[in-house]
Amino acid sequence: MKAAVIHDFGDTPFFEDFGDPVAGPGDLELTVRASALENFDRMTAAGNHYASHHLFPEFPAVVGHGGVGLTREGKLVAFGGVQPPYGCMAERAVVPAAAAQYLSPVPEGVEAPLAAALPASALTSLLPLRFAVRLQPGAVVLVNGGTGVSGKLAVQIAKLLGAGRVVATGRNPEALAALPGLGADLTVDLGMPERDRAAALAEAVRDCDVVLDFLWGHPTELLLHALVPSQVGFPTHRTRWVQIGQAAGAEITLPADRLRTSGLELVGVGPMQPDGVADALAQVWDWAASGKLRMDLDLVPLRDVAAAWNAPGQGRRTVIVP
């Protein structure tokens, strides 16, 4: 079969011949229809992720951690859990019987590229909104990094869950201008002159209940500073800050007064209920089937995977299609 193959950590995958995966008893054979290219794929293939050596214990190997494929019966399913050296960016895949929990039927009306790209990106905000902060109707939500793929979905999901006001930050003026059409009530250009930015950020965090942070780094430091009250007294409003991504940097400087005087709580995704992910995924499929979630996709043939691998996403998700 043809596949996207690397021969060592740090390689760019190339379109090459690779041996077909062999199905054992109870395994599911699939004809791959689509596989989303995400930062996770790049990081693991580069050897820069804690899962790198688990996913790539040997070389050569096929990249891609999840996809959508067609069963022999003609059913479209989202899948993961393929065993090394096989990844999902290939013409064929085998899902071991032991990895059946990674299978999810794709609803009627949802095309394979969207089905491959949407769930992982949507769950990055849906799971913390449900479990980390238990979003209440009418809450004010700020999406730090709202112009990225997951950030644009977060804006939509916050509104679908009943947020009363959604604020989004970003640096791409064109992408920011499109966010009101996705549900944003206010947008803030992080690239504006410093003299204007402080006032804009202060307005952005006013009465903010939840921050979904896809950026971290310097943009987060600016927002945290805006949360510090200008008057003496105890904090009167709680803001729960959910750390999700680090597109702007892996570290921040956190002065003590940001926590001491702002009512700020820093959290991660939060503890999960046993069926939490399955229930959240079912919700994503329902929204997708009813057209309530929009996502910008770039479809790239498998043979062009090398060119797509290092191309900037610019708020769009690349999907590899055999």
Side-chain angles (χ1 to χ4, degrees):
M1 69 176 181
K2 294 293 187 180
V5 182
I6 58 174
H7 293 264
D8 203 348
F9 287 124
D11 283 358
T12 294
F14 280 94
F15 182 65
E16 299 179 8
D17 289 313
F18 202 84
D20 287 358
V22 177
D27 295 347
L28 180 65
E29 298 181 64
L30 296 169
T31 300
V32 180
R33 287 288 183 255
S35 180
L37 171 54
E38 300 180 1
N39 288 334
F40 177 81
D41 298 300
R42 295 184 176 96
M43 290 175 66
T44 51
N48 296 331
H49 194 278
Y50 63 82
S52 291
H53 290 276
H54 172 73
L55 294 178
F56 299 103
E58 61 182 274
F59 295 101
V62 178
V63 298
H65 74 284
V68 169
L70 202 63
T71 68
R72 287 183 173 180
E73 295 76 28
K75 300 295 184 181
L76 204 61
V77 296
F79 70 96
V82 293
Q83 296 299 300
Y86 298 100
C88 302
M89 294 182 192
E91 293 178 320
R92 286 178 285 281
V94 168
V95 179
Q101 71 269 24
Y102 295 107
L103 293 170
S104 178
V106 176
E108 292 290 335
V110 180
E111 299 294 330
L114 179 61
L118 181 60
S121 295
L123 290 175
T124 59
S125 54
L126 179 55
L127 289 174
L129 285 174
R130 278 195 168 177
F131 296 104
V133 302
R134 300 187 181 276
L135 187 71
Q136 299 300 306
V140 177
V141 177
L142 187 148
V143 180
N144 194 28
T147 57
V149 173
S150 297
K152 287 191 286 188
L153 285 169
V155 169
Q156 299 171 70
I157 289 170
K159 277 291 188 178
L160 288 168
L161 292 177
R165 182 171 182 253
V166 176
V167 181
T169 70
R171 286 185 176 273
N172 185 319
E174 183 179 346
L176 282 169
L179 289 179
L182 300 179
D185 300 286
L186 174 69
T187 62
V188 178
D189 185 349
L190 294 173
M192 71 172 65
E194 184 176 351
R195 63 182 181 276
D196 302 319
R197 187 174 58 203
L201 292 178
E203 170 63 16
V205 299
R206 179 176 55 83
D207 299 327
C208 184
D209 299 300
V210 175
V211 176
L212 299 177
D213 190 353
F214 293 91
L215 297 181
W216 211 237
H218 187 55
T220 291
E221 293 175 342
L222 294 172
L223 272 173
L224 288 172
H225 179 73
L227 277 172
V228 177
S230 57
Q231 297 178 342
V232 176
F234 293 106
T236 59
H237 188 83
R238 179 175 69 162
T239 300
R240 287 168 292 175
W241 194 293
V242 186
Q243 207 298 307
I244 299 175
Q246 55 183 58
E251 298 181 357
I252 64 169
T253 298
L254 181 60
D257 64 354
R258 305 300 193 265
L259 289 174
R260 186 175 61 242
T261 63
S262 65
L264 177 68
E265 297 178 6
L266 293 173
V267 299
V269 69
M272 286 290 183
Q273 297 175 358
D275 298 325
V277 175
D279 291 344
L281 180 57
Q283 178 66 82
V284 171
W285 286 138
D286 180 66
W287 283 333
S290 58
K292 293 180 179 178
L293 287 178
R294 292 160 53 187
M295 194 174 189
D296 298 316
L297 304 177
D298 289 325
L299 307 188
V300 175
L302 179 61
R303 63 178 177 274
D304 296 330
V305 64
W309 189 258
N310 297 312
Q314 298 296 328
R316 304 175 64 88
R317 177 69 75 221
T318 297
V319 179
I320 306 299
V321 290

